[in-house]
Structures are given as structure tokens and as C-alpha cells.
Amino acid sequence: MISKKLKHDPYNLIITGVGGQGNVMSSRIIGNMLSSSGFYVTIGETFGASQRGGSVMSHVRVSSKNVLSPQIPLGMAHMVVSLEPVEAIRVLSSYGNPDVKVICNTQPTHPIGVISGRLDYPSQEKIEKSLKDLSSRTWLFNATNIAMGIGDPIFANIIMAGALSAAKELPLDKNNFKTSMETQFSADKIKQNLMAFDHGINMVNSQ
Amino acid sequence: MEKISCLMMGNQAIVRGAIEAGVKVAAGYPGTPSSEIIDTLSKTAPDIYTEWSVNEKVALEVAAAGSFAGLRSLAVMKQPGVNVAADFLMHLALSGTRAGMVLVAADDPGALSSINEGDTRLYSKLMGIPLLEPGNFQEALEMTKWAFELSEKLKSLVILRTVTRLSHASGNVITGEIKKEAKKAYFEFNGNMLDPLTGIVTTIPVSVKHSLQHEKLQQAGEIFESSVFNTYVGPENPELLIITSSICNLYAKEAVDVLNLDSKVAILKLGTTWPLPSKLIQACIQKTKQILFVEEIQPFVEENIKVLSAGFPDKFGPKAYFGKLSGHIPMTGELNPDLVIKSLEQIFTLELRAFSSSYKKKADKTLENCTPAREISFCPGCPHRASFFTINKVLKLDNRNGFTCGDIGCYSLGILPGGFSTIKTLHAMGSGTGLASGFGKLSQFGMDQPVISVCGDSTFFHSGIPPLVNAVHNESNLTMVILDNSGTAMTGFQPHPGLSTGTGGEPAPEVDIEQVCKAMGAATCICDPFDLKKTENILLELLKKKGVNVLILRQICTLSPEKKGKKYFNILIDEQKCKGEDCGCNRICTRIFSCPGLIWNKEKNKTMINDILCTGCGVCTQICPADAIKAKAC
Amino acid sequence: MTLLGPEELSQQVLDKGLCTLCGACANLCPYIKAHNNKIITLFTCDRTQGRCYAHCPKVGIPLKNISQSYKAQSYTENPIGKFIKIVKAKKGRNASEGNFQNSGVVSSLIIFAMEKELIDAALLTGTQGIKPVPVLARDKDSVLECAGSKYIASPVLSMMAEISDSGVEKLGVVGTPCQITALSQMRQNPLELDDFKDHTTLSIGLFCTWALDSEKFIQYLSKRTDISSIQSMDIPPPPAEELIVKLENSVKKFPLQEIRKFKLPGCEICADMTSELSDISVGALEGFDGWNTLIIRSKKGERLVNEAVEQNYIEIGSLPDRCFDNLLKGAGNKKKQAAQKCRELGMLDDDFNKPASLNGRQTITGIA
Ligand SMILES: Cc1cc2nc3c(=O)[nH]c(=O)nc-3n(C[C@H](O)[C@H](O)[C@H](O)COP(=O)(O)OP(=O)(O)OC[C@H]3O[C@@H](n4cnc5c(N)ncnc54)[C@H](O)[C@@H]3O)c2cc1C
Ligand code: SF4
Ligand code: SF4
Ligand code: SF4
Ligand code: SF4
């Protein structure tokens, strides 16, 4: 029943961000879209204490063959989608490799150490340069600002999902998304979500 | 007919398994990573009686009542909860059960969201309870379903041990039929005293019941010999046999794949780990000369197979055993594919897996220069930050080296700098107050430090009441601060007896914490922790008072469904007034109070508000010495 | 003096128990507070220079420099400091009656200064129960309520921050020598802050050899008497050697050698007996009950005293030679003993006033 082929099998996607940004939601949406296309999907994530402002990361693994370990081996990510720029770098240092691709929200969330002034938050330029250095392809845009425009920073998750679909790394498309939304949300919510998804597509297509 | 697979979290698969098995009664106490099981049942299965019990022991008792009355029942808790339930658990193991009863225990290897790293499997052995360990999502469903049958057959409780990486991970699951069967609950007790289905339910006579329990275990062992949940995959005569259980089997598989060792390494995945299927293990071990145990927390399978080997020396023969005891697998912390890869590389003396080392070097350097550590802390607008700020301040003002004893909840973060390092002891639920009760009696040995205990609202009911009673009756001196954020915030806002909503959101009679404390004879008052000055004054007075005082600091959690997104105030900074790092402030708001809703602008030497994160609680306005933070009512 | 910060203040003064509770470091910011007659550090401040340190009279005070820069006079080697005139004095017949310590010269001068509008208000020391507390007196009655010496140290200057926000433009301050020293340092605006304003227009310093630690002293008293009925306390000049406590219906006497056990260790390094940096200093007068010793140090002080004498608020007379000699001897001894103690504590060493290493204490380290 799988009609589409994966670029890599298994395909290892990491979605990262900061506790409270709605990471879990992103990984679920993307996971559901792929699973309903017939792939084996394994999502590894933790929540609980780590939610309280800490770094969070979901491993989404896609295969046409079998169930996989919920943890990606080090250095073996194909794509990193990050809701926070510094978190993207953190993930790359463990799971990155020269071929990895990155889609990253540029809106920083300052850790307590930065707020308290004891640690420095890197400049936008430094982040961009680092991400480009550590990946084969990078898409950067401020998804939080766009999401605020739609009405809630939480839409950043959907924007990132849209962007991921446009990066054409995984067999994801808008119809896919629409179907999966329809099973979960009411009509007005779906409209906002589709708008967010489109924004994500545009951000990638314009870069 | 093709079966549709859907993406399910491990915990959801367990729920589905229980529903398919026709479970009728489910009880638990919230605790990561187990909470979603009762949450999901309460939301999706209205015909099942689902309950958030006051604590794990009571949950196990409530579930057992279901079983005794002929209904399949489920008890759910995280590992430390099993410790709480252990007293009843031991009795239940001996008395036996009637309708199928399963205890789902969620262990947390690596203590990802716990403050200890216990292994429930040892309870199985200690108390003689059959044990199952699902190794993937599909098994989580099927094993749960089968566990009820097994329990019914043996008339014994069955433990299903899951781990965080299974419970909170998601994978494809094919669901089965739901068993729909109306059952009338009835507790039969008039039969022969020793008849398990019609007599009284108890552990006495112990000699009879204990030997009966051993017969059940033996029977379980025989059933396990042919269980489909024990699988052998790999060459007939492998160079190495990996024996593993739980989610670790996926790490083992991944490691073998990554290193292309499929032709040399076989994997025996055990789903039934107590009692161990002895014959199956003997047969598999005979195929190889080297064995690697891959499991998390305790070397449970490893040690017990070694014990087994001593009983069958001719079958086992001389083997090389690798695992935790040989140092090939770490003794503590959780596993992952990389740790298994590493031990395989060691055993096969392979070269370490080649990373692009220049990439790794570059990445590590960037990590060092570019990624400020992200410590966990209280959320923006969290009432606990305000509470700990005041507790910390009051203890300093009091000037007698007073200290705070804590326990488990979001407020455990009070042990970290983000909570001003206020908590000085941190153990089990309710233990802060128990310790405080003890400290408060040490004045006869010259101790004159005042002691505060902090305890959440849910924790108060769970195990905060007995130590408070103890303190009152023994005339201890302490101030118990109940951090009442109106819900079990840490685990996702499950209701508790202090609230007027029940497990499924229905109205429920609330047990008033204040009245409970007063009835015990503790001097009790309530304050809003967002009112810093008032809280400070009350607490300063309480510390001077002898006896047992209770201060309820009541303010709803910012993340709670009722509060989320609602601001009390719009917050603005008057840059003209902000002193920044100048003498007279040195930015107490960002440097010390450190609410994530604030931003420190180094260039401008000013504090700013992060409009996305600030929840408008207004507490920082009370902390600013320059009146530079303004709150406008929304 | 090297200008340092709160960490050094803690290490050099507070942690060593050398604080004499002048209050000059307290309530300037959210970190250091005066509470219950103690200086308390609530949270760590990591500034390397701060007013807390700069104001403190217990850290390397170059008496010389202060008197030069602030009063544009050179410091004399005289143990009672630079002065214009020294006399004996007592309350005049136009001044109000009150429960004065000696003859009420301090209270009378303050009231006179208020009436002459030289000051709008005065920072004095009243009591709350048995404990002294800073009081901002804005009228005669509140000045009279503060009459009498409290031998327990009180953080008078902790009220300065509040006063500077209260609209008082011309402030009089009465304090012990350490408080007057700290006040002088405060008035120099050591951090050169733009928004600094000096509201003080008159300082009256008391003579002082030591003050008591509130906690230990109150504990001692409460074991021996009902402290709620204490009306006042007096230490008559030598050779009396006793503390006289007036209770509601009786008088209790305690041997001074017992009481001295509770004196603040920081008083032992204090080199100033007569509040050398004040406009006017006032003390008891040995052998002449009902009189005070009065030292006029500044022109402003001189003018105030002259007018107060003219208008019969105070009465003055010449100081007997024997009293003057004793005063010099007493003040000289205090200097000698303080210098000795400072030397013992290493406070005169070259590297004493060096910045402390912060050891990351001020930062959040966290659990990974
Ligand atoms: C702690 C202490 C020790 C003293 N030691 C000596 C000494 O050794 N030799 C000596 O000659 N004189 C000493 N004095 C001064 C003496 O007791 C009288 O205060 C002084 O002679 C003025 O008398 P008066 O009648 O004019 O005071 P009053 O008119 O009664 O006025 C007393 C003033 O003292 C102030 N005051 C009271 N207690 C304190 C305090 N704890 N801190 C700051 N200000 C306070 C009050 O605000 C009040 O305005 C000491 C005073 C104090 C407070
Ligand atoms: S009002 Fe202040 S303390 Fe409250 S959330 Fe906003 S920034 Fe944080
Ligand atoms: S506390 Fe007030 S004055 Fe100090 S940095 Fe924050 S906003 Fe500025
Ligand atoms: S340096 Fe300034 S802000 Fe810091 S403690 Fe001292 S007085 Fe307060
Ligand atoms: S002597 Fe004064 S300035 Fe120094 S620490 Fe004590 S109260 Fe603060």
C-alpha cells in the first residue's frame, strides 16, 4: 500500500525546540501524515520535567520496512526541524552529519542562564553561519512572528510542518495535511492551520 | 482483510489492550511516564470505571476490589508509586486475585522525569508476581490484553512493566476487537474458606497461600516457555547471542543493523521475564559461546540467567557473559542504540564507528561557543517562583539558618538556582513534611534552626497528611507550606481530592485542605503567593511561632487549562526608570528572579519584557526596586 | 581606599561579625536589608563596586581623606578630631522638658534647628519595645519621644533611602561615631551617581565607646527581668561601672563587666570616640550631672549653637580642664586600642582591601 518511496530508509527526522513550544504536536502531526500513507513511523520523545523550559527533542523515524528504535543513533539524522535556533545547533552536535538538512525558526527563546546574564546568547549571524557550516542545506525564517500574525505562537509548529513538506525530503503534502487535520479539528481551526501550513511552504519555496 | 495500523503512543497501546481485554475498573495516581493511561481511559471509555486515586496504594486496592468482584481491573503507576503500593502489593500477591488484574508499572531508566531510578522487575521476584515486558508498540497492546487472561488463569496479579521510551514513544499499532461483555459486579465470600473464587480473600493461612503462590509461578513459567512474546531472531549458531527485553530489544536490533552484524549476532528478546522461561533460555544459549545482556536499570535478566546456569551446568557449559556485570553495559542510566553499538564494537573488537570526525570537531566547537545551556526552571508566571522567592527571603530575614524540606512535584525545581536553591532535602512524596516533623523535635539537642516543608496540593492528599498528623500529635515545630496550584501540574493537571472535579471532569465533592489542616489542630492560613509582601509578613510571623503551622499558598498554575493564555496584567518597562546593572538594583528581576518572561538587554543596560512568554502575573513589578516595571490591568 | 562591592563587604565585615549596624549599606537595593537589628544579605549581588561597601565605616576608612575632601579641612592628630570650640552645655530654659539622657542638649538643638527651619526633619533613634529603631521625626513631640540613649545598636542609616524618596529636603541626623562616619561617606556620592542628592544639612554626633548586640543582650535581660516594663537605661560615667535599668516601679542595676560581654566586636576596631566628622558632637560630662560635653566642629554648627544660646534653648559654660584632659585620654585610648585590633585582624595589611574572587557564587549553575 505504500505508493511513495523514501529518500533514505529509515529516514531520521529530528524535531527540536524548547519545552512548552509544542514540539510534541509537530511530531504527532507529521508522524500521523506519514503513518496514514502506510509507513512505519516511530516517534521517540520524552516529556515531564524536561518540559519546564528545557531543551526538548522528538525523533521521528520513517521506514517502509519495520518498527525502529525510538532513539536515532548519533550522527544519523537526515533532517532537523527546529523551533529555536540554538536548539538546532545543540541537536546537530549529537545527531548531525555533513549531509544533514535544517529548517529552523529564528526566534530565540533565551535560557535562564542568558536571562540571568551569566551566559551569552549567540548573535543571529553567528547562528546562521554555524547552521550553514553544519548542514548541507538550511532554511531559516522567523516562524514565531508569522504565527503571531495568525493569532498564536503555537502555529509555528504547523508552519514548520508546511516548510518540511516543501523541502521535499519526505512524502508529505498539503492534501495529506488537510486530511489529517480534518480528523482532529473543527472547521475554523482547520482554516488557520492550513494558512500556517501554506506560510511554511512559501518560506521554503522562496529561499 | 487488511488491518489498518495507526500511530499510537506506548501508553495508548496499553490502554487499547486493556479496553480490548474488557477491563472494567482502572485506578492510578499520576506520575510520568504513566499518566496518559488513566487520562486516556477516563476520556475515551465512559463505560469503564476510571479513577485517579489519592495515592498508588489506594489505586491498587481500588483496582483489586474490581477483580475480587469479578471485573477485569487495571492499576497504573510509575515506579516510585509501586514502592508506595508495595505493602498492599505483597499481600495481594499472596492472597491472589479473581477476574484478571494487571498492574502497569512505568519505570523511568535514566530518571528522565523522576528523582530516582528504580526497577519494578525486582518486585516481581521479591513478591512472586508474573512479569511481562513489552518490547514494542504492538506488543504493548497485545501483552496487556493477554496479561488479563494470564492473570485470570493463574488467579494472580500480573505486572506489565513499561519504560519511558516505550510509554512516551509512538509507533504503528494494529488494533483488534474490543471485548464487549456486560458484567455484574458481585463479591462472593460464602464458599469454602480456601476457595479462590468463592471464599474469603486473604493471605492466611500463610503456609497454604505461600505454597499455592509458588505453584502459580511454576505454572506461569511453563506457559512462558511457549509464549509468542519471546522471540529469537538471527543465525542458528551465532557468534554472540544478545539477550534483551523491553524497548532495549529495538536498540539491540538497531545496533546489529548499523554494524552489519546480522550474520553473526542473534537476539533473544524476552517478553516474559519473571519467572524466566528456563527451557527456552537453555535451548538458545546452547547455540552460542558468547552472551550479551542488554537491559536497563538492574542486571535483572543477567543475574537470574546466571543463577539458572548454576542449576544446569551441562546445558549451559562454559560461556562468556557480557553485560552490566562485565562493564559492557553501563550500570546506571538509560540505554540507546549507541551504547549497544559501543559494547558490540568492544566485544567484536571493531573499530569505533566512524563519524565524520572533522564534522564532529566542528560541531563540538560550535556547541561550546554557540549554545548556552538550557536549564529547566519554573515557567513564566509560575506561582512556585513567587513562593520560593518569598520563602527564601523570609528564611534569610529570620536569620537563624532555617531551611526547607521538599518533595515531589514541579516545585522540586526549588532545589535548583531557578528556585533560588531553597529546597535543601528532596525525597519521596510527603517526605519533606515527615523530615520537618523530625527536625522540629531536635531542639532538645540544641537545634534552633526553623524548618519549613513544602508540599503540593495533590501531594498533600497523597502522603502529606500522615506526617502533618504526626507533627501535630508529637508537638513538633514546623511550618508546612502547601503550594496549592489547583491541580497535579507536573503530570498534566489531573484532578485530586481537593478539587470539585472528578477523574472524568464530572463534579465531585472537594476535600478542603484548609479545613483538613485545621481539624488536625494546625494553625492554618491561606495567602496568594503573588502578593509578595503579604506572604512575606505572614511567613515571618509563622516562623516565630512554635507548634505546627500551615500556610496554603494558593494560585493556579499558569499552564492549567483554566489559566492558560489568560493574563492578569499587561506588563511594560519604563526604560527611564530601569536601573539595570547599576548599584541599587543590579537587575534583580533578570539576574535573580529570572522569570523567562523577562529579557536582559545588555547593550542598553535595561530589562525588557518578552511579550510572547510573559503571562502577566505582575510579580516582577513587586520586585523591581525602581518601580520601572508597570502592570496595567487587562 | 579601593572601592569594592558586596562580596568584600560580606567577607571583610559581615561574615567576621565586625558590623556595628550603622545601617548605611542596607535598604539601598533589594539585596541587603536591615531587619530586626541585623544586616541581612538576601540574594547575592555580583557588582564589584557598590555603595554598600563604599558607605561602610568598617572597611579601610581613611579618616584623613574624608575630613579633607568633605569638610575641606585637614585632619589633625588630635584624638577628638578637628573642632572650633569645646564647652560644657545643658538644655536652656526655653527648651522643652523630656526624658533626656543627660541634659537634653541633643534634643534641644534638633528642636531648635527645626524651628529655625535649618532642617525639616531629623533622623533619630526611637524604640519599639526594647529594641531601638530608626525614626524620622518631623516635629517636636517625636523628637522628644526619641530622647535618651539606647545602648543597643540600631541601623539608623538604613532609613536614608526611604527618606530621600520622602520629600525631605533638609535633614538633620543624630548618630554614633560609626553612623556619622558612614553618613559622611554617603554624602560624598562615592559611586558618582547622577541622581544623587545630599539632603543632609546638619549632623549631630554622639560620643560612644561601644554599643550592644541586640539579640544577646536582650536574651540576657529577659532572663533577669521583665523586659516589657523597661522604661530607660543609663550608663553613668565612671567610676560607676554599672548599667541602670529603670523599670515601671523599680530600678535594677547590672554590673557593667557583665554587660560588656554583649558589646559588638566591631566596636573594638572603631577609632572614633567623639564623632569627629559631625557638625556638633555631644557626650556626657564626667562628674557634672545634668551637663553635657559639646564640641562645635563646623561653622554651621557654631552658628546653630550661638543662636540656640542666644534664644535660651541651650546654656553653655567653659569645660573644666580636668574634663578636657580626660576626654583626650579616653579618645586617645580608643584610637590606640582600635589600631591594635585592626592590626591583629590584618586590616592594616597592604593587600587587605583587594577584590574577593567571586567563585561563581552569584550565578546560577543548575543541574544539567
Ligand atoms: C550607644 C551609645 C553609647 C554612648 N556612649 C557614650 C560614652 O561612652 N561617653 C559619653 O560621654 N557619651 C556616650 N553616649 C552619649 C550619651 O549617652 C548621650 O547620648 C549624649 O550625652 C547626649 O545626651 P542628651 O541628653 O543630649 O541626649 P538626648 O537629648 O536624650 O538625645 C539622645 C539622642 O540620641 C539618639 N540615640 C539614642 N540612642 C541611639 C543609638 N543607639 N544610636 C544612635 N543614636 C541614638 C536619639 O536619637 C536622641 O536624639 C553614648 C550614646 C549611645 C547611644
Ligand atoms: S509579569 Fe513579570 S514575573 Fe510575571 S510572567 Fe511577566 S515577566 Fe514574568
Ligand atoms: S528590577 Fe527594575 S530597575 Fe532593576 S533591572 Fe529590572 S526593571 Fe530595571
Ligand atoms: S553593590 Fe549596590 S546593588 Fe549590589 S549589594 Fe551593594 S548596594 Fe546593593
Ligand atoms: S557597619 Fe554599617 S555599613 Fe558596615 S556592614 Fe554594618 S551596617 Fe553595613
Side-chain angles (χ1 to χ4, degrees), chain C residues 107-146:
Chain C
S107 302
S108 304
L109 283 173
I110 289 290
I111 293 169
F112 182 69
M114 273 182 184
E115 285 173 3
K116 290 281 132 200
E117 289 177 6
L118 178 66
I119 58 176
D120 325 326
L123 175 54
L124 305 176
T125 302
T127 45
Q128 212 168 59
I130 185 176
K131 281 189 181 162
V133 287
V135 170
L136 181 67
R138 291 176 184 268
D139 54 34
K140 186 168 85 181
D141 287 348
S142 11
V143 176
L144 291 172
E145 257 170 49
C146 291

Side-chain angles (χ1 to χ4, degrees), chain B residues 547-610:
Chain B
V548 177
N549 310 301
V550 173
L551 172 61
I552 301 170
L553 290 180
R554 186 168 289 160
Q555 176 62 245
I556 191 164
C557 171
T558 30
L559 292 185
S560 74
E562 301 96 282
K563 172 83 209 309
K564 208 169 179 176
K566 276 183 220 142
K567 284 191 174 189
Y568 292 140
F569 300 106
N570 270 324
I571 307 293
L572 298 166
I573 304 255
D574 182 342
E575 283 197 12
Q576 234 64 54
K577 285 190 172 173
C578 174
K579 286 177 190 283
E581 282 187 332
D582 294 350
C583 180
C585 179
N586 196 9
R587 57 192 190 83
I588 186 156
C589 58
T590 49
R591 199 175 53 87
I592 302 290
F593 190 64
S594 294
C595 174
L598 299 161
I599 300 172
W600 172 238
N601 187 326
K602 212 177 201 166
E603 289 70 43
K604 279 183 151 178
N605 189 31
K606 300 287 173 206
T607 286
M608 306 200 303
I609 292 288
N610 181 335

